[in-house]
Every structure is written in structure tokens, then in C-alpha cells.
Amino acid sequence: MGWSWALYFCNSSMCKSVFPAVPRHPDGRGGLLEDGAPARRVAPGFPVAAVYVDNALAIGWSKAECQVCMQSILEALDLMELAYHDLVLPCKEIIFVGMQLDLEKRVLRNKPGKARLVHSAIA
């Protein structure tokens, strides 16, 4: 029971820190991608951030936008006195929370091997 609460509070702290750092538009562009909420849209000038427990990801229209967004997120974490490490430079393909995002092919899919695990669990 305690571990699930620890994850909840860690994730909530990250969301609270990241939310104000990401520009958002009332029509759904930009902002924070949150579980159970409508998906946010990436658009020029409006990157989307995703948080999972103690990880954050910025998805933007360009490399420069991602760098600016991530810098804002890092400044917000500094303001909340939350430590961070293992920064990943902007890239065109990343695996995050079991999903593989390939911006070259414009594809979002399950991480390789996940379908096999689901199949073996139900077989």
C-alpha cells in the first residue's frame, strides 16, 4: 500500500512542477499529457510534455522547441528543489513508458516485445 502512495506522490509532484512550464492553448494545443484526460496536440509553438513518476518528456514541433520546453521544465524542477539526472538530448526516436515514438516515420507503437508479453500472459 505504501509503495503505490509513494509513486502517486512522486508522479503528482512532477506533474505539479511540469504543468506551468509547458505552454498551452485553450484549443488543445500544447500542455501536459495526463492520464484520463484528452490527448494534447503538438503544434508549432505548443510542445506537449508527459510525466511518468520521476521522468518527464517534451515532444515539440522542432528540436529548438523541445530544448526550450525542457529547459523550462528543468527550471521548474529547480524551483521546487527536485533533483534530476540522466538528461537525454533531443532525438527523433525514444521509448517512454512502454511506447516507442518514431518521429521520422510519424509512428507511435508499443515498445518492441510488449505484444509478446501480453500474448504469453493470456495464452
Side-chain angles (χ1 to χ4, degrees):
M1 182 73 124
W3 181 247
S4 59
W5 278 111
L7 287 175
Y8 170 79
F9 287 124
C10 185
N11 193 75
S12 295
S13 296
M14 280 293 289
C15 287
K16 182 178 172 72
S17 299
V18 170
F19 182 77
V22 185
R24 53 202 170 278
H25 192 276
D27 73 357
R29 291 180 286 166
L32 184 62
L33 187 62
E34 298 178 271
D35 189 31
R40 308 301 295 178
R41 294 184 335 199
V42 177
F46 294 96
V48 170
V51 169
Y52 180 71
V53 187
D54 61 347
N55 297 297
L57 170 71
I59 304 169
W61 204 255
S62 68
K63 180 179 179 178
E65 280 186 11
C66 288
Q67 289 172 317
V68 168
C69 182
M70 206 59 203
Q71 186 58 43
S72 295
I73 290 170
L74 295 177
E75 290 169 6
L77 293 175
D78 287 338
L79 192 63
M80 298 289 284
E81 298 183 7
L82 294 173
Y84 50 86
H85 57 88
D86 297 340
L87 300 176
V88 177
L89 297 175
C91 54
K92 295 199 178 221
E93 185 175 350
I94 191 165
I95 294 176
F96 186 80
V97 192
M99 299 299 293
Q100 181 178 13
L101 176 63
D102 185 339
L103 297 174
E104 287 287 325
K105 298 177 184 171
R106 301 185 89 163
V107 172
L108 177 66
R109 61 181 161 256
N110 288 322
K111 177 180 165 183
K114 287 289 184 185
R116 178 188 52 78
L117 292 174
V118 171
H119 183 267
S120 63
I122 61 176

